[in-house]
Amino acid sequence: MAEPTQERRTDYGPPHYEKFLPPIIKKNYGKWKYHEILKPGVMVHVSETGDKLYTVRASSGRLISVDKIRMYCDLADKYCDGYLRFTSRHNVEFLTDKQENIDPLIKDLQEMGHPVGGIGNAISSMVHTQGWIHCHSAATDASGIVKAVMDDLIEYFEEMKLPGKLRIALACCLNMCGAVHCSDIAILGIHRRPPKIDHEKLHKMCEIPNVTASCPTAAIRPATVDGKQSVEIIEEQCMFCANCYTVCPSLPLNDPLNDGVSIWVGGKVSNARHEPMFSKLAIPYLPNNPPRGPETVEAVRGLVELWAKNAKKYERMGEWIERIGWPRFFKMAGIEFQKEHIDDFKHAGLTYKRSTHLTY
Amino acid sequence: MSDALPKTPKLDELEKGKWPSFVTEIKMAAKKSPMCRDLLGQLEQSYEEKIGYWKHGGIVGVMGYGGGVIGRYSDLPEKYPNISHFHTMRINQPAGWFYNTDALRKICDIWEEHGSGITNMHGSTGDIILLGTTTDELEPTFSELQKIDFDIGGSGSDVRTPSCCCGMARCEWSCYDTMKACYDLTQAYQDEIHRPAFPYKFKFKFSGCPNDCVASMARADMSIIGIWRDDIQVDRAAVTEYAKNGMDIKADVVDNCPARCMDWDGKEIHIDNQFCRRCMHCINVMPKALAPGKDRGAAILLGSKAPIIEGALLSSVLIPFYKMEPPYEELKDLLERIWDLWCEEGKNRERVGEFIQRVGMGNFLEAIELEPVPEMIAHPRENPYVFYEEYFEEDEGEEEESES
Amino acid sequence: MAKTVDEIADAMYKLVKDAFGIKKLKPMDLTKAMMELYEGEVDKKTCKAAIKQLIDSGKCVYTYFGGSYVEIPHKEGSANE
């Protein structure tokens, strides 16, 4: 029960970050001069003051129990005066000014089952979504595929043997909580059948004008079914985006027989060299095959290794494909080019080849 | 009811291999949490039947707030009664995701007592995700969080929890203080985070340099990316050092410059800064020798989003350079003009980027009182269908320019 | 005569109550309706305060169905006992 002694507070926002900064960071805030990668997963930042800050980066696993967080805390207390941070890609980072702490810390992390790496020309941890662990609209699981893919690619996380950076991400439906649409390799959960309309419940749970307005291709129309207000769907116009389902739970698209994943390549967000790019469709459909999704694991490894073998130094997946051309990419990757690869939504014409810059 | 873990032969396969296993984590929490035992059971069933078993809730939350709690119910409550309710709480992370162990341990204690004991560190938007509790535990959890100064983040049609890179705390490239800006705007817009009043979500992301470690280009309605206006700083001795240590400066640095604005004569590097695109490549490769200039600030871009509904967008330039110093008055004024317009005219579930596409960037700029500049476009229009608004009228033999 | 926050909150509550089960209203719908109903007598700030009052008092709650709405508290369709 709520304690009556405590006054209820709202709108105070997050704690101020300064209280969580290690003293060496407070002292050198804004004064960092350069950094170097010392070995996989370890870098040093050197300040104008001459101070040195060492960072050890490990995969956190993203879904972690409170006991695991406590174990991280024990390590931070032991080696880093009680401070630690996380990164935008779900890595955990331990920061220390004591160089002698690096190797014992790495040893402890590895014993805990947390690989150290993800810095420099390597694969960093995968950004991903909730999947079947928590989401109502997931067309595939998330954590399971990520685990299987990263188990397989672990060498590229723990070592720095790639031509450039490689970012892999997974979103379990087109809502893309994980915003995978600008990744070197994106795994995207997809539906392939239109919603199954629950006419019994729809009129009670959903506002029909909202439902019809939610469809980007105007495939949903109001209809009376068995005397009840409901909707009908022009199935040929449905592109399985599931926006209607977000607005109305009586229009589920989940379908164990037809749901699966698609694989996208060549996106980036960094402005380094080439401007940011969207990922493009490489493989239109692979089946959901839990627990380890061998088809997906194999496809991703194939793409990583093809790029690693053929790209020039620093060249990201998208930069490499742009240089060699998409026909050569499909040929080298052994992916059959299909109708699904050709865009037919807005501005599709801009994606057609509008020149004779062809390779044979 | 037994405390034993359910049989999960499929999930057990995901405890093998070197990558950290989420199954092991859930099992760890399941020693104390009946919720996690049922979660394992339902997840195993999903793995067998290749389908999820969750229902989306839309009402639960804490008193007074309209965001930060995601309602979730099991579709199989008789079979898995302990996850009949399994709501998520989004907790606003500290800027830059820095913690001390004291604060983290307190969060762990609260979540062990009031929830499932499993978390995401962190969610895609940046919040601490506390994964799974019942409706009755939402207020008590919030009450405990109040005592340790952690507040709830955003969800729904509101300002989503802003996030930033570690900026000046641990990066020499940060062109403005990302953590300070992120904290300032988060505090300034508490009402907009907690009380959804927009057509749809609005995300901020603060990156210190064009490497954009928080992916603001792709995932923020407003992307605030650090940049500099003057010349790249060059430490000539350090360049020589790189060359001496075997770096092929022509191949690795000069030939990768997208503006072709640099040269290496075997002794010195020459940069024609007026053509430099601030892409960061040369600086990334030679961090000891090259650095962003001294006249630093940020480029403000607007409109990126994932595909739903009208297709994915990247952010595009709104202000090519802004000094980005507290209290960020001009930026806040501009932001509030954008919100006013979008709230007034935006459709349900229409992100600001889609809104701009619908009304046209030119009209949008006019409405928010911002002058068009060529930095906003990749190239001028290619079609001649121009909505001319200025023309001459014949007036008693004399031509006079008029504005409509 | 400028309307008070209480008056606006009452008028908004009536709108939300009358629309219950027929149409979900967003905070902006309520604000726009008030600006039209009491033209010149109410501003956005008062509307915002009125919505906050409705929510803080528990008379209304925020809901989310692909967008955020203000509704009368009720048991949701997907909720389990």
Side-chain angles (χ1 to χ4, degrees):
Chain A
M1 288 285 102
E3 295 160 43
T5 48
Q6 188 193 339
E7 195 158 321
R8 196 170 187 280
R9 298 162 67 206
T10 61
D11 302 287
Y12 46 97
H16 197 284
Y17 53 88
E18 261 180 23
K19 103 186 224 204
F20 300 134
L21 299 179
I24 181 175
I25 285 188
K26 272 195 188 155
K27 184 181 161 204
N28 294 288
Y29 200 91
K31 293 181 192 159
W32 300 108
K33 199 160 173 258
Y34 67 89
H35 75 277
E36 280 180 294
I37 299 170
L38 300 176
K39 57 182 175 180
V42 182
M43 54 185 169
V44 59
H45 284 78
V46 181
S47 164
E48 286 165 6
T49 65
D51 285 353
K52 289 182 177 180
L53 174 68
Y54 300 92
T55 298
V56 175
R57 180 181 292 178
S59 157
S60 84
R62 187 179 189 268
L63 191 156
I64 42 181
S65 63
V66 292
D67 281 335
K68 180 56 65 61
I69 298 175
R70 289 171 179 140
M71 288 160 82
Y72 291 155
C73 288
D74 292 343
L75 289 185
D77 285 340
K78 189 170 166 193
Y79 297 112
C80 309
D81 304 314
Y83 297 93
L84 69 163
R85 76 175 289 263
F86 293 83
T87 75
S88 58
R89 301 191 74 87
H90 319 308
N91 297 301
V92 58
E93 284 184 344
F94 295 88
L95 312 164
T96 175
D97 51 1
K98 299 176 195 70
Q99 189 168 14
E100 65 275 16
N101 282 357
I102 296 173
D103 289 331
L105 173 58
I106 292 175
K107 192 164 162 276
D108 283 1
L109 277 165
Q110 284 168 340
E111 274 168 17
M112 266 168 66
H114 289 266
V116 170
I119 294 179
N121 291 339
I123 299 179
S124 188
S125 289
M126 282 173 71
V127 166
H128 67 97
T129 56
Q130 302 288 20
W132 292 332
I133 280 176
H134 201 246
C135 191
H136 65 298
S137 68
T140 185
D141 188 38
S143 311
I145 302 180
V146 168
K147 161 81 174 137
V149 166
M150 288 310 292
D151 275 343
D152 187 58
L153 296 176
I154 188 86
E155 63 193 288
Y156 299 111
F157 180 86
E158 292 188 315
E159 296 167 54
M160 298 186 292
K161 55 182 186 181
L162 292 171
K165 290 184 189 301
L166 188 86
R167 299 283 177 257
I168 313 181
L170 180 148
C172 51
C173 81
L174 272 60
N175 275 315
M176 289 193 191
C177 312
V180 304
H181 56 297
C182 295
S183 306
D184 293 285
I185 300 178
I187 304 168
L188 175 64
I190 45 155
H191 303 293
R192 297 190 300 160
R193 296 296 301 146
K196 291 175 278 284
I197 309 169
D198 186 345
H199 296 294
E200 283 299 314
K201 287 194 185 144
L202 192 138
H203 69 285
K204 282 183 261 172
M205 295 185 78
C206 317
E207 282 173 22
I208 288 167
N210 271 352
V211 177
T212 53
S214 72
C215 181
T217 63
I220 307 179
R221 294 190 298 214
T224 307
V225 180
D226 298 331
K228 292 189 185 73
Q229 290 296 302
S230 188
V231 296
E232 62 182 7
I233 293 172
I234 309 163
E235 297 207 348
E236 314 78 79
Q237 255 166 263
C238 178
M239 51 184 186
F240 322 113
C241 73
N243 193 43
C244 58
Y245 177 60
T246 306
V247 174
C248 173
S250 303
L251 293 168
L253 284 90
N254 294 341
D255 175 0
L257 191 61
N258 286 292
D259 290 347
V261 300
S262 51
I263 310 280
W264 304 67
V265 296
K268 70 195 278 281
V269 291
S270 151
N271 283 274
R273 298 169 310 282
H274 197 292
E275 290 181 328
M277 291 188 268
F278 286 124
S279 311
K280 282 104 180 160
L281 181 62
I283 303 174
Y285 169 78
L286 291 170
N288 278 336
N289 194 359
R292 298 198 70 99
E295 299 85 351
T296 304
V297 170
E298 192 193 328
V300 172
R301 171 169 277 268
L303 289 164
V304 170
E305 295 198 323
L306 187 67
W307 163 76
K309 203 174 130 201
N310 292 286
K312 293 184 180 173
K313 199 169 169 187
Y314 301 116
E315 214 169 34
R316 296 279 291 260
M317 178 80 80
E319 294 170 300
W320 167 61
I321 299 175
E322 202 168 285
R323 175 166 61 80
I324 66 165
W326 285 96
R328 180 63 52 96
F329 166 78
F330 279 103
K331 197 172 166 187
M332 289 171 82
I335 298 168
E336 188 196 346
F337 188 78
Q338 294 163 268
K339 184 183 168 192
E340 286 83 357
H341 286 108
I342 306 175
D343 195 358
D344 43 22
F345 195 50
K346 292 179 177 177
H347 317 302
L350 297 175
T351 69
Y352 303 162
K353 183 72 173 176
R354 299 176 297 168
S355 79
T356 57
H357 285 214
L358 298 166
T359 52
Y360 297 99
Chain B
M1 206 178 67
S2 125
D3 283 356
L5 296 184
K7 289 227 170 352
T8 53
K10 284 205 164 16
L11 290 176
D12 296 349
E13 286 297 311
L14 291 166
E15 291 197 276
K16 299 170 184 168
K18 223 175 156 186
W19 197 251
S21 166
F22 67 101
V23 176
T24 307
E25 295 295 320
I26 302 174
K27 284 187 180 177
M28 213 145 101
K31 283 181 204 152
K32 300 173 201 165
S33 160
M35 290 186 121
C36 287
R37 291 198 280 276
D38 274 358
L39 177 64
L40 286 166
Q42 179 171 311
L43 192 58
E44 179 73 11
Q45 187 168 342
S46 284
Y47 269 55
E48 274 165 19
E49 297 170 9
K50 302 185 189 179
I51 193 163
Y53 285 107
W54 296 105
K55 290 186 289 183
H56 189 302
I59 291 187
V60 294
V62 300
M63 187 77 173
Y65 285 5
V69 176
I70 316 299
R72 201 68 85 217
Y73 302 96
S74 169
D75 214 1
L76 307 166
E78 284 82 28
K79 200 164 172 191
Y80 306 110
N82 294 307
I83 49 168
S84 173
H85 297 200
F86 200 66
H87 313 314
T88 282
M89 298 181 84
R90 294 184 180 164
I91 312 304
N92 198 144
Q93 81 286 1
W97 297 289
F98 284 92
Y99 295 93
N100 61 31
T101 53
D102 180 52
L104 273 182
R105 285 201 167 93
K106 282 177 177 156
I107 292 173
C108 291
D109 293 346
I110 293 171
W111 195 233
E112 192 165 82
E113 190 185 337
H114 295 282
S116 68
I118 54 171
T119 72
N120 293 142
M121 299 299 279
H122 295 77
S124 312
T125 298
D127 302 87
I128 302 166
I129 304 291
L130 302 181
L131 210 56
T133 193
T134 60
T135 305
D136 289 344
E137 289 291 350
L138 294 171
E139 268 305 324
T141 307
F142 184 36
S143 172
E144 293 298 321
L145 288 167
Q146 286 167 40
K147 292 181 196 162
I148 60 164
D149 293 327
F150 277 85
D151 202 346
I152 289 175
S155 71
S157 305
D158 61 10
V159 168
R160 297 299 181 87
T161 309
S163 76
C164 63
C165 69
C166 64
M168 293 179 166
R170 199 206 48 197
C171 188
E172 66 271 25
W173 296 330
S174 199
C175 292
Y176 69 97
D177 192 338
T178 53
M179 303 213 301
K180 181 173 257 170
C182 184
Y183 181 76
D184 184 289
L185 270 79
T186 305
Q187 292 295 345
Y189 297 121
Q190 283 293 299
D191 188 60
E192 286 76 6
I193 290 174
H194 293 134
R195 294 176 192 81
F198 292 160
Y200 202 22
K201 67 183 94 168
F202 191 95
K203 295 186 177 184
F204 286 103
K205 290 195 189 294
F206 301 82
S207 274
C209 82
N211 283 323
D212 196 4
C213 286
V214 288
S216 69
M217 273 304 296
R219 4 183 7 187
D221 296 272
M222 183 172 270
S223 321
I224 301 166
I225 301 177
I227 203 160
W228 67 96
R229 280 191 294 199
D230 56 345
D231 294 355
I232 289 178
Q233 302 182 66
V234 184
D235 178 340
R236 289 178 199 288
V239 175
T240 311
E241 191 69 16
Y242 273 113
K244 219 170 71 187
N245 291 338
M247 179 180 283
D248 185 343
I249 291 181
K250 183 174 183 310
D252 288 357
V253 182
V254 172
D255 288 352
N256 277 310
C257 172
R260 296 270 178 268
C261 72
M262 46 195 344
D263 247 337
W264 166 250
D265 60 11
K267 279 188 193 138
E268 281 202 48
I269 206 158
H270 304 278
I271 305 174
D272 193 348
N273 278 279
Q274 60 177 325
F275 299 117
C276 167
R277 298 182 189 174
R278 277 79 182 159
C279 88
M280 292 297 292
H281 176 78
C282 59
I283 298 173
N284 290 344
V285 177
M286 298 199 287
K288 274 179 159 173
L290 306 179
K294 289 179 174 164
D295 182 12
R296 298 177 175 194
I300 316 280
L301 296 87
L302 200 66
S304 74
K305 57 179 286 293
I308 302 289
I309 305 168
E310 299 285 341
L313 295 169
L314 287 163
S315 282
S316 69
V317 174
L318 197 63
I319 302 176
F321 189 85
Y322 177 67
K323 270 314 249 187
M324 212 54 205
E325 280 155 5
Y328 319 102
E329 285 297 344
E330 283 169 56
L331 179 65
K332 287 175 185 164
D333 284 350
L334 174 70
L335 196 56
E336 283 156 33
R337 293 204 296 280
I338 293 171
W339 284 346
D340 275 349
L341 175 70
W342 174 51
C343 283
E344 195 70 39
E345 295 179 21
K347 294 197 281 191
N348 188 28
R349 283 173 73 70
E350 186 174 51
R351 296 279 288 269
V352 77
E354 291 166 310
F355 173 71
I356 294 170
Q357 301 267 306
R358 178 163 63 82
V359 302
M361 179 62 100
N363 293 332
F364 176 78
L365 293 173
E366 219 165 64
I368 62 165
E369 296 163 39
L370 204 64
E371 286 296 318
V373 293
E375 283 83 356
M376 292 173 177
I377 53 164
H379 57 74
R381 70 163 72 231
E382 292 168 329
N383 72 69
Y385 305 136
V386 182
F387 290 101
Y388 287 104
E389 290 177 354
E390 290 184 11
Y391 50 88
F392 298 116
E393 268 178 48
E394 258 181 66
D395 185 25
E396 316 231 322
E398 202 181 318
E399 281 186 353
E400 222 175 77
E401 196 172 341
S402 81
E403 281 185 35
S404 65
Chain C
M1 259 301 280
K3 294 281 169 194
T4 64
V5 172
D6 287 346
E7 286 172 306
I8 294 300
D10 286 346
M12 282 181 173
Y13 183 71
K14 189 176 178 315
L15 266 186
V16 172
K17 210 173 149 213
D18 292 347
F20 184 69
I22 303 160
K23 183 161 173 49
K24 289 185 172 61
L25 299 169
K26 297 179 78 80
M28 201 57 198
D29 298 332
L30 294 175
T31 302
K32 280 181 180 169
M34 291 301 118
M35 308 279 269
E36 207 179 302
L37 193 62
Y38 302 113
E39 207 186 325
E41 296 174 90
V42 64
D43 57 13
K44 282 184 187 170
K45 222 175 121 191
T46 309
C47 291
K48 202 170 175 177
I51 292 169
K52 187 165 189 295
Q53 193 188 90
L54 286 173
I55 299 288
D56 286 348
S57 68
K59 284 176 84 176
C60 290
V61 289
Y62 284 111
T63 65
Y64 179 81
F65 290 94
S68 296
Y69 300 92
V70 174
E71 293 188 80
I72 306 288
H74 60 279
K75 187 175 172 295
E76 60 186 318
S78 56
N80 299 326
E81 289 310 322

